[in-house]
Amino acid sequence: MERLYIISSDTKAIMRTASSYYRSKVLEGNEDKFSIKSPEQIIDNSCLLYGADLKGRKQAVRKILSTTSKLPVPISPTRGVFMFPTSSTKNKDCVWIAFHQVKFYEQRADRTYIGFFDDTGIYVNASENSIDAQYKRTSQVIVHYNRRILFGFGSDMY
């Protein structure tokens, strides 16, 4: 039986695979890991380990951002682990990116290259503007969760 993959601060990205057996490829450190679980199952299981289910995390983010689509997910807010999707989660090209791993992103032809702090990177099928919007939305969520620490006032949630 496969060990369940849990998202950590070393996780850079999670994407679907074309394999008939493995459903996800996880970029972690210098290696690629494969899982029979979908990216959303990995995210849900990781959220549960850190204290809430994916549904609950999405409800909180929906309220913070006042939107329902392409929601970033606080995997472990206390550890600073937040993931954001590059497109609709129903899209087969959707890649989940770890916010804290992103060094830069830039348009290259019809795709966007996302560079990580370890000097690796990946191409995603999304525009730079779309990635920029997702990155900024995730920043809003991070600030919301850390308002008391950053500014000394406000609640950590609503």
Side-chain angles (χ1 to χ4, degrees), residues 25-44:
K25 175 179 165 182
V26 180
L27 306 183
E28 181 186 276
N30 291 328
E31 60 182 309
D32 297 348
K33 297 185 175 191
F34 292 88
S35 174
I36 59 172
K37 303 287 185 195
S38 71
E40 289 74 21
Q41 287 173 314
I42 291 171
I43 289 167
D44 188 32

Side-chain angles (χ1 to χ4, degrees), residues 2-143:
E2 179 194 37
R3 269 188 51 221
L4 192 61
Y5 182 80
I6 301 298
I7 296 167
S8 73
S9 58
D10 294 329
T11 307
K12 294 186 282 191
I14 305 171
M15 61 201 72
R16 285 182 172 73
T17 66
S19 164
S20 59
Y21 182 71
Y22 292 113
R23 295 179 65 198
S24 299
K25 175 179 165 182
V26 180
L27 306 183
E28 181 186 276
N30 291 328
E31 60 182 309
D32 297 348
K33 297 185 175 191
F34 292 88
S35 174
I36 59 172
K37 303 287 185 195
S38 71
E40 289 74 21
Q41 287 173 314
I42 291 171
I43 289 167
D44 188 32
N45 287 325
S46 296
C47 287
L48 283 169
L49 180 78
Y50 295 121
D53 65 358
L54 180 55
K55 184 178 178 187
R57 295 278 199 224
K58 281 185 171 183
Q59 283 176 328
V61 171
R62 232 180 247 121
K63 197 166 184 177
I64 294 165
L65 296 177
S66 299
T67 188
T68 59
S69 64
K70 297 195 286 187
L71 297 172
V73 175
I75 304 296
S76 176
T78 57
R79 288 180 171 83
V81 180
F82 293 77
M83 305 281 294
F84 64 87
T86 59
S87 61
S88 164
T89 55
K90 292 175 178 68
N91 184 328
K92 66 175 179 52
D93 291 333
C94 179
V95 178
W96 285 89
I97 304 292
F99 179 91
H100 67 281
Q101 292 279 0
V102 177
K103 185 176 183 179
F104 69 93
Y105 44 90
E106 63 188 16
Q107 192 77 41
R108 294 188 183 173
D110 61 341
R111 295 165 59 181
T112 300
Y113 182 79
I114 298 176
F116 299 116
F117 280 102
D118 65 359
D119 294 325
T120 63
I122 59 170
Y123 284 92
V124 296
N125 288 324
S127 70
E128 181 180 358
N129 286 343
S130 176
I131 297 301
D132 188 57
Q134 287 301 95
Y135 191 80
K136 287 173 179 168
R137 291 167 88 202
T138 308
S139 299
Q140 279 183 268
V141 174
I142 292 168
V143 168

